[in-house]
Amino acid sequence: MKKFFSSLFDLIKIVLVTLAIVIPIRYFLFQPFFVKGESMKPNFDNNQYLIVNEIDYRFSQPQRGDVIVFRYPRNPQIYFIKRVIGLPGEKIEIKNNRITIYNQDHPKGLILKENYLPSRTATNGSVSILLKNDEYFVMGDNRLFSYDSRRFGPVKRNLIIGKAWLSIWPLETITTPKY
């Protein structure tokens, strides 16, 4: 009987130590995320399983081209995955299938080049928006079928959870995202 309680106590210790390690990692450093929908094709597929890095954005800000997971501005219970197109303080203009960025470095505008997308990817819509100091403009890679900042507006910094860091499922997709 004594051996049974000793084994049970050892098992409880292992479970507690495991939880003490796993819980902080899961809730403060890295978070799993399932891609839902086709808005990030061809770079991310429906039901692809990702690990989201929550650490980077505690020490730095999202950059143009980053793929981020964030809370939907109109319902923070819902999570979205999109690509950062516009940064705080910039003016974003979309017309004639082109995205033009206006900022301090490019006051006359810079046409956005997106090497992570197939050539001739159409970016429909007509948008002109000036981002506030805590706002980001995000879009899906599947531009014709993405519900993004063109429709729901900019994403505030406090809604951003983290950066897509690693794709781990299905196994053939194990890779880091294209930026």
Side-chain angles (χ1 to χ4, degrees), residues 21-32 51-56 58-59 161-163 165:
I21 294 169
V22 170
I23 289 174
I25 289 173
R26 164 62 177 83
Y27 285 100
F28 300 109
L29 305 177
F30 301 101
Q31 188 174 140
I51 299 296
V52 176
N53 178 340
E54 296 182 31
I55 301 170
D56 279 0
R58 292 178 192 205
F59 304 104
I161 303 300
K163 180 178 183 177
W165 181 59

Side-chain angles (χ1 to χ4, degrees), residues 112-179:
L112 186 61
K113 304 282 187 236
E114 300 178 284
N115 298 327
Y116 42 80
L117 295 179
S119 62
R120 298 190 203 124
T121 296
T123 301
N124 60 356
S126 179
V127 173
S128 181
I129 186 169
L130 179 60
L131 299 171
K132 295 178 183 169
N133 288 331
D134 66 340
E135 294 179 334
Y136 293 82
F137 192 89
V138 298
M139 295 176 71
D141 289 351
N142 189 357
R143 299 291 163 76
L144 296 178
F145 301 99
S146 177
Y147 181 67
D148 51 38
S149 286
R150 292 173 288 177
R151 306 252 321 266
F152 58 73
V155 175
K156 292 202 176 287
R157 174 64 178 91
N158 66 335
L159 295 176
I160 297 174
I161 303 300
K163 180 178 183 177
W165 181 59
L166 183 66
S167 170
I168 60 172
W169 187 262
L171 293 177
E172 63 270 8
T173 67
I174 293 179
T175 184
T176 55
K178 295 179 185 176
Y179 293 111

Side-chain angles (χ1 to χ4, degrees), residues 61-90:
Q61 298 300 314
Q63 299 299 306
R64 190 178 339 278
D66 286 359
V67 176
I68 61 170
V69 172
F70 61 94
R71 294 178 185 275
Y72 175 47
R74 296 181 183 170
N75 181 353
Q77 302 300 317
I78 299 172
Y79 293 87
F80 276 28
I81 180 171
K82 302 291 178 201
R83 192 174 297 273
V84 174
I85 302 299
L87 302 173
E90 293 182 329

Side-chain angles (χ1 to χ4, degrees), residues 4 11 41 45-46 54 59-60 81 83 100 118 133 155 177:
F4 170 76
L11 179 63
K41 277 193 157 295
D45 294 318
N46 188 37
E54 296 182 31
F59 304 104
S60 65
I81 180 171
R83 192 174 297 273
T100 306
N133 288 331
V155 175

Side-chain angles (χ1 to χ4, degrees), residues 78-108:
I78 299 172
Y79 293 87
F80 276 28
I81 180 171
K82 302 291 178 201
R83 192 174 297 273
V84 174
I85 302 299
L87 302 173
E90 293 182 329
K91 179 181 178 186
I92 309 302
E93 191 174 84
I94 300 172
K95 67 179 178 183
N96 300 326
N97 284 320
R98 292 197 305 200
I99 303 169
T100 306
I101 309 289
Y102 298 89
N103 57 29
Q104 288 181 339
D105 294 334
H106 303 283
K108 294 184 180 184

